[in-house]
Structures are given as C-alpha cells and as structure tokens.
C-alpha cells in the first residue's frame, strides 16, 4: 500500500515516519491533505443552494449557522453558490429568505455526496508543481460512493474535535491537536470515526497566484449522460471537489476546478466539448477568490442515536 493510500484511510497522525517522508515532497510541491466527512453518519443531508442575494449579503448571511454551510462561492454568471450540510429533515432558512424577497432565482438541490478529490499522483510533476497529461487520455480517478449508514449520536465536543481535524489534518498526533483546545485525545479519536477519508489533492484551499477558480454545474441530466459527464469532469487533474445528487428532474453534478493560467484555454475548450451533448443543462463561471469560503461544522450537528437519514 502506498503512503498516499495509507494517508487516505488512516490519517496523517497514524503514518510512520517513513510514510511521512515519502509524502512531504508532494506537500512541498503544492498538494494538500483534505478531510472528507461521513455526512450520513453525522445525520446531515448535503444540498447545493444557489441564488442571487440582494443587498450585497451572502447565502451565509441569510442562513447563518443554521444553513450548515460547508463551502461557498460567488460568480458573476452563477450568482452565489453554497454547498450546505443542514441536519436531515431540516427545512433550513431559505424559505424565509425567499418570502422576504432577499434571494432571487433560488434553487436547492439535495445531494448524495460532496467530496474533495484525491489528485492523480502519477500525473503530478513535483518540479513544476502541476500536472503533465494528455487531454485525450486523462488519468482516471477511482471513487467510492457513500454507504447507506444511519446517524450516530454526536456530542457538541465531538463536533468541536471534528473542526480541529478539519482545520489541521496534518497534525503530528492527536495529543498535539488537542493541546490548548481543552479536549481529550479520546474525543478526537471518537471524532475521527466520522471521517470517510483524508485525500491528498490539488488546491483544496483555493487558487494561488496565476491560477483561476472555476465552478461548473449540470442540472437535469439524464441517467444516460450523468456517468460520462461525471467521469469527464472528475478526471481533469485540476478538479478539486465534486458534488452530485438525483432529483425529480434528473441528476445534478457540480465541480470546482483550480486551473493554471497557461492551461485555462485548453480546459475551457475541453469542458465545452464534453458538455456539448447537454449544453442546455450546463453552466459555469469563474469564482472570485476572495469569495471562496470554507466553514467549520455547525455545532447544531447533534442527532439522536439511530435516527434515519433522509435523501
């Protein structure tokens, strides 16, 4: 098993010193360690929220902590877009915002999954800090779908421990992570049960100088197109995150990419080409880096043990 695969399943603090040494050059070259949570076990129902907020506010301003915001963007073409993790069965605060006419053109898509993507390490060039690949032979990325798990009881201090893990996934040990936080290592160990994986990937914290942040959205996709579109976008080495779900009108697929300026024209042309069969369902936009926001897990994530998780 490679060091990156061990990292994905075990976490940084469980790696041997030899495995850490093998990974540090990749981290120095620009890759980052992320955290993918087990939303179903936490009793959360991921959703993609989109709309145009009046008065310069953001979707977070409208929903607050109750929105369960995880990551948000602003694009002049797509408006405000937020990946949210409200508690399953929660109506959230979006209806109130619509009634008060604070949100124009709103849409909420229930999602099956949201996850940061592991980078295709075989294509990553440590010297240049980017990827070497051919557009007609993209390096395939494997993936695992979330299981049909039931929610566990989640204590407030476990949520706090999860936020520590989210903010510092490369801590050398649970003891180091717990220092100064007023939490015991047993709480951090319990929190780690709610982590699906620790991917090693590209630009989880957003673009650097000379790079552009791009979001793409496919709505009302038929089943015959969904798998192909998902693979085509996910396998672009610059893809950072994907989210997908299925509703009454078909599949929805969302992805975030961070693209070096030198590859921007080729990436845009590739996306246009693979999206041609569903052009009426495809939209995209460059997000403003200053508006890329990641949020800690809400302390409202507390569910009763054994509660069922809705779609």
């Amino acid at each position: 098993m490679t060091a990156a695969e061990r990292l994905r399943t075990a976490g940084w603090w469980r790696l041997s010193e030899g495995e850490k040494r093998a990974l540090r050059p990749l981290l120095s070259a620009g890759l980052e360690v992320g955290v993918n949570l087990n939303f179903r076990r936490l009793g959360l129902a991921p959703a993609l929220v989109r709309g145009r907020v009046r008065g310069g506010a953001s979707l977070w301003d409208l929903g607050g902590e109750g929105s369960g915001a995880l990551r948000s963007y602003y694009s002049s073409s797509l408006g405000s877009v937020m990946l949210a993790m409200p508690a399953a069965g929660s109506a959230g605060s979006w209806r109130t915002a619509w009634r008060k006419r604070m949100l124009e053109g709103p849409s909420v898509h229930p999602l099956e999954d949201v996850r940061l993507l592991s980078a295709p390490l075989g294509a990553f060039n440590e010297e240049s800090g980017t990827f070497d690949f051919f557009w007609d032979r993209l390096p395939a990325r494997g993936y695992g779908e979330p299981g049909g798990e039931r929610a566990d009881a989640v204590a407030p201090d476990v949520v706090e421990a999860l936020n520590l893990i989210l903010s510092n996934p490369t801590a050398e040990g649970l003891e180091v992570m717990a220092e100064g936080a007023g939490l015991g290592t047993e709480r951090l160990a319990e929190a780690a049960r709610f982590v699906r994986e620790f991917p090693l990937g590209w630009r989880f914290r957003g673009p650097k100088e000379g790079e552009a942040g791009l979001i793409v959205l496919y709505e009302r996709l038929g089943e015959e197109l969904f798998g192909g579109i998902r693979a085509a976008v996910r396998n672009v080495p610059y893809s950072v995150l994907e989210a997908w779900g299925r509703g009454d009108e078909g599949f929805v697929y969302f992805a975030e990419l961070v693209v070096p300026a030198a590859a921007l024209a080729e990436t845009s042309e590739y996306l246009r080409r693979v999206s041609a069969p569903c052009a009426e369902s495809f939209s995209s936009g460059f997000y403003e880096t200053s508006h890329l926001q990641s949020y800690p897990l809400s302390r409202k994530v507390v569910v009763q043990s054994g509660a069922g998780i809705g779609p």
Side-chain angles (χ1 to χ4, degrees):
M1 182 180 292
T2 66
E5 183 62 19
R6 270 274 297 155
L7 167 67
R8 189 183 69 80
T9 56
W12 183 265
W13 57 86
R14 294 194 185 98
L15 298 184
S16 69
E17 286 305 312
E19 289 168 328
K20 290 176 182 178
R21 281 196 300 272
L23 293 176
R24 283 194 178 103
L26 294 172
L27 299 181
S28 298
L31 296 185
E32 299 167 355
V33 179
V35 181
N36 283 331
L37 298 178
N38 189 324
F39 299 115
R40 292 176 180 272
R41 179 174 284 184
L42 283 164
L44 303 179
L48 185 145
V49 185
R50 178 185 172 197
R52 295 192 176 273
V53 183
R54 296 191 178 188
S58 68
L59 285 171
W60 163 257
D61 295 326
L62 296 184
E65 191 182 7
S67 69
L70 181 73
R71 199 167 175 97
S72 68
Y73 315 81
Y74 175 77
S75 160
S76 59
S77 57
L78 288 172
S80 292
V81 180
M82 177 181 286
L83 295 167
M85 307 296 146
S90 170
S93 54
W94 311 117
R95 291 177 184 171
T96 301
W98 302 336
R99 286 198 301 268
K100 292 183 178 179
R101 300 182 182 277
M102 297 169 65
L103 189 62
E104 297 179 349
S107 64
V108 179
H109 293 290
L111 298 173
E112 290 293 324
D113 196 21
V114 177
R115 69 184 189 116
L116 297 169
L117 295 166
S118 297
L121 297 184
F124 186 67
N125 186 323
E126 293 179 36
E127 293 185 6
S128 66
T130 186
F131 298 93
D132 299 325
F133 62 95
F134 297 98
W135 285 105
D136 59 348
R137 295 198 304 275
L138 294 179
R141 295 200 237 195
Y143 63 95
E145 302 293 12
E149 299 187 49
R150 296 177 68 83
D152 287 346
V154 186
D157 53 355
V158 171
V159 174
E160 187 177 346
L162 268 173
N163 281 330
L164 278 177
I165 294 173
L166 285 166
S167 64
N168 190 13
T170 54
E172 289 299 319
L174 295 182
E175 296 83 1
V176 174
M177 201 181 302
E179 284 179 7
L183 291 172
T185 55
E186 69 281 355
R187 277 308 196 201
L188 282 162
E190 182 180 350
R193 295 190 304 110
F194 295 96
V195 176
R196 284 170 52 196
E197 59 181 356
F198 296 89
L200 178 64
W202 169 253
R203 298 294 189 257
F204 292 154
R205 297 177 184 88
K208 296 188 176 181
E209 186 176 353
E211 299 170 346
L214 175 64
I215 50 178
V216 298
L217 175 63
Y218 299 83
E219 302 171 279
R220 304 177 304 280
L221 277 176
E223 188 167 2
E224 73 282 0
L225 291 175
F226 168 68
I229 289 293
R230 182 184 184 186
V233 177
R234 182 186 62 237
N235 287 341
V236 176
Y238 308 125
S239 294
V240 172
L241 171 151
E242 70 167 2
W244 70 275
R246 183 174 188 174
D248 295 337
E249 297 184 335
F251 286 91
V252 59
Y253 184 74
F254 173 87
E256 173 193 341
L257 300 87
V258 174
V259 186
L264 200 52
E266 289 181 343
T267 304
S268 298
E269 172 56 30
Y270 170 83
L271 290 171
R272 281 194 295 269
R273 177 163 53 83
V274 299
S275 304
C278 55
E280 71 287 349
S281 303
F282 171 63
S283 52
S284 65
F286 294 101
Y287 65 81
E288 299 179 15
T289 304
S290 61
H291 284 78
L292 174 64
Q293 300 289 335
S294 295
Y295 303 90
L297 201 62
S298 169
R299 288 180 63 86
K300 295 185 178 182
V301 180
V302 179
V303 297
Q304 294 182 352
S305 179
I309 302 303

